[in-house]
């Protein structure tokens, strides 16, 4: 897909991978609708517009989609389902509230956004949905059971969805990064990039790569790892 002039919705745009992806798509000429609970600081661009949206609320998602079409036009070419949260801990010491919060954002919110965008993409017979999962969707890890469960769900959903919407000209990519240096789980990135972790810009570059693949090519799953982890 040639991204120039194409409209892309990115969830969880305020920081980390979402912000880096917005900047990467703007650099390729796309028009970006950034969805999030808070606006990204310092991102000011004539082709960027922020829409406040808590994706855990289906009505809020529907409203954000209507507002996006009203402001940026009917055609929606890209949806990057990036918003996600992680709470870690042993299963028998885990709060049910944290469990539900992860599923509400990582799984249900992703479903609401996909459901909102798909009819327009099918109508156009063109569109690309990127679901940002995790390597936690490929192997279980102690004290990450809830997070792994959500990312396994995203991977299964993505695998089924790509088969479902292929005939409509819509592509679906499940991106599974390993350790990325972001504010994830409350951690603050260091002043110097951690050589043992990938940077948000690295993930954004992979998203651009998947989007710009020839129309005859579908990168259905991409796994990413640091070259030399600790």
């Amino acid at each position: 897909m040639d991204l120039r002039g194409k409209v892309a919705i990115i969830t969880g745009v305020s920081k980390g991978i979402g912000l880096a992806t917005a900047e990467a798509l703007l650099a390729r000429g796309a028009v970006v609708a950034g969805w999030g609970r808070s606006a990204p600081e310092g991102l000011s661009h004539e082709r960027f517009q922020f829409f406040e949206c808590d994706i855990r609320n289906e009505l809020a998602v529907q409203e954000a989609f209507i507002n996006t079409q009203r402001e940026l036009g009917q055609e929606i070419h890209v949806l990057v389902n990036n918003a996600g949260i992680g709470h870690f801990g042993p299963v028998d010491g885990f709060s049910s509230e944290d469990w539900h919060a992860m599923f509400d954002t990582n799984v249900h919110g992703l479903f609401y956004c996909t459901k909102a965008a798909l009819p327009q993409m099918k109508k156009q017979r063109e569109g690309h949905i990127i679901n940002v999962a995790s390597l936690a969707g490929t192997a279980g890890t102690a004290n990450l059971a809830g997070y792994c469960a959500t990312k396994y769900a995203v991977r299964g959903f993505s695998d089924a969805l790509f088969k479902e919407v292929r005939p409509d000209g819509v592509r679906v990519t499940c991106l599974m990064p390993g350790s990325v240096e972001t504010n994830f789980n409350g951690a603050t990135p260091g002043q110097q990039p951690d050589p043992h972790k990938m940077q948000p810009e690295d993930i954004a570059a992979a998203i651009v790569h998947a989007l710009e693949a020839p129309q005859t090519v579908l990168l259905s799953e991409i796994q990413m790892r640091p070259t030399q982890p600790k």
Side-chain angles (χ1 to χ4, degrees):
M1 183 190 294
D2 181 350
L3 291 167
R4 285 172 298 182
K6 296 291 197 293
V7 176
I9 295 170
I10 302 172
T11 69
V13 76
S14 63
K15 55 184 186 285
I17 293 169
L19 177 55
T21 302
E23 290 170 337
L25 295 191
L26 288 167
R28 309 299 281 189
V31 178
V32 175
W35 291 10
R37 286 181 288 175
S38 56
E41 290 178 19
L43 178 55
S44 174
H45 196 287
E46 61 184 5
R47 283 184 275 105
F48 176 79
Q49 193 154 344
F50 175 73
F51 297 86
E52 190 176 337
C53 177
D54 183 344
I55 65 163
R56 298 173 299 182
N57 180 330
E58 186 169 14
L59 285 175
V61 168
Q62 291 167 348
E63 191 177 322
F65 190 77
I66 289 166
N67 291 341
T68 299
Q69 286 190 310
R70 188 185 67 237
E71 296 293 324
L72 303 178
Q74 286 297 302
E75 294 204 346
I76 305 293
H77 305 94
V78 174
L79 169 62
V80 181
N81 281 313
N82 161 71
I85 57 170
H87 297 293
F88 308 146
V91 169
D92 55 356
F94 206 79
S95 102
S96 298
E97 191 181 9
D98 286 348
W99 178 277
H100 283 278
M102 282 194 293
F103 271 88
D104 285 343
T105 301
N106 301 2
V107 183
H108 305 149
L110 179 141
F111 164 67
Y112 300 149
C113 295
T114 303
K115 187 180 170 190
L118 260 181
Q120 179 61 38
M121 289 184 173
K122 285 181 173 180
K123 189 173 160 188
Q124 296 161 191
R125 295 199 62 77
E126 180 190 22
H128 199 144
I129 297 168
I130 307 267
N131 292 329
V132 180
S134 166
L135 289 180
T138 66
T141 303
N143 296 314
L144 265 70
Y147 183 68
C148 289
T150 66
K151 294 304 186 178
Y152 265 84
V154 170
R155 191 182 183 192
F157 176 76
S158 303
D159 192 41
L161 183 66
F162 104 74
K163 291 163 185 167
E164 183 178 315
V165 299
R166 266 167 120 180
D168 300 295
V170 179
R171 299 193 286 186
V172 178
T173 301
C174 184
L175 184 64
M176 293 173 279
S179 306
V180 183
E181 192 163 26
T182 67
N183 294 84
F184 188 75
N185 201 36
T188 306
Q191 290 298 310
Q192 297 298 318
D194 184 338
H196 303 290
K197 288 185 176 180
M198 295 177 290
Q199 300 301 310
E201 294 75 18
D202 301 328
I203 314 306
I207 289 171
V208 170
H209 175 66
L211 292 171
E212 290 187 335
Q215 199 56 41
T216 51
V217 177
L218 168 60
L219 296 168
S220 56
E221 284 196 344
I222 302 174
Q223 295 189 13
M224 298 181 70
R225 293 170 169 80
T227 303
Q228 293 187 311
K230 275 183 179 170

